[in-house]
Amino acid sequence: MRRVTRYPVEGHNSLWYIYRTVSPWKGVRNFIFIQIARYCPILPLKNWIYRNVLGMKVGKHTAFGLMAMVDVFFPEKITVGENSVIGYNTTILAHEYLIKEYRLGEVIIGENVLVGANTTILPGVTIGDGAIIAAGSVVHKDVAAGSFVGGNPLRELHSSAEKNIQDSEDK
């Protein structure tokens, strides 16, 4: 179950109410800096932008691949632990604007996590330490530490126990 706060709206779809929840200037400013970071090949500079301009919590030695897209309106709700890799063109969302409501939720990505390319991470999820997310996945629920998951809908592809057995057989 995702941990999101729901805000019902009446009348038009919730996207028409976006600037009641976030300043348009914040959106423009964040968009510009996110676009710079998306194309920046210098990982320390990219992480500096995420931490110091956008207010994200990003651990040491974390790497965001080219074209990774973080939430434009609520990047401060995103935490990524140390030594994690966020794959090419991955999207991390902390908000959802739907027809009759909008939702906000923190995204917490642990340490030593590998998120494959073209993955979408929805608001309100936690990805545990050492987890691996297969490329092209939609993360719509929490991911246990050490697990290997993928797909849409997200499912376990390889359990931690199987992985430990495989690792010991490889030695």
Side-chain angles (χ1 to χ4, degrees):
M1 182 75 171
R2 293 190 290 143
R3 288 164 302 289
V4 294
T5 305
R6 298 169 181 256
Y7 300 90
V9 298
E10 294 193 20
H12 308 293
N13 72 65
S14 66
L15 201 50
W16 283 97
Y17 299 94
I18 191 166
Y19 296 118
R20 293 182 189 175
T21 60
V22 64
S23 160
W25 302 115
K26 178 184 177 185
V28 169
R29 175 184 157 275
N30 287 356
F31 179 80
I32 291 166
F33 281 101
I34 288 168
Q35 291 306 312
I36 291 168
R38 288 183 81 192
Y39 291 96
C40 180
I42 304 165
L43 296 176
L45 176 58
K46 188 181 287 211
N47 287 350
W48 184 89
I49 291 169
Y50 290 143
R51 287 183 196 114
N52 297 299
V53 178
L54 300 175
M56 293 171 53
K57 293 168 215 69
V58 177
K60 291 180 183 179
H61 306 294
T62 286
F64 287 80
L66 184 69
M67 301 296 290
M69 182 71 184
V70 300
D71 194 285
V72 173
F73 298 118
F74 302 97
E76 67 277 4
K77 292 185 174 290
I78 299 171
T79 300
V80 183
E82 293 189 12
N83 203 44
S84 291
V85 175
I86 308 300
Y88 172 86
N89 205 37
T90 288
T91 301
I92 305 173
L93 296 172
H95 78 273
E96 297 177 303
Y97 284 86
L98 307 171
I99 300 295
K100 296 185 184 242
E101 69 179 9
Y102 65 93
R103 302 172 185 166
L104 303 178
E106 292 193 25
V107 173
I108 301 169
I109 300 171
E111 297 183 1
N112 300 304
V113 171
L114 174 61
V115 178
N118 294 305
T119 293
T120 299
I121 301 172
L122 296 179
V125 300
T126 297
I127 299 172
D129 295 343
I132 299 171
I133 314 295
S137 299
V138 176
V139 181
H140 69 283
K141 60 185 179 180
D142 289 349
V143 175
S147 61
F148 177 28
V149 299
N152 182 14
L154 194 70
R155 64 188 187 288
E156 189 169 49
L157 300 175
H158 209 269
S159 75
S160 298
E162 290 172 348
K163 183 178 174 191
N164 291 338
I165 292 168
Q166 184 69 36
D167 289 346
S168 64
E169 288 174 356
D170 290 343
K171 291 181 182 179

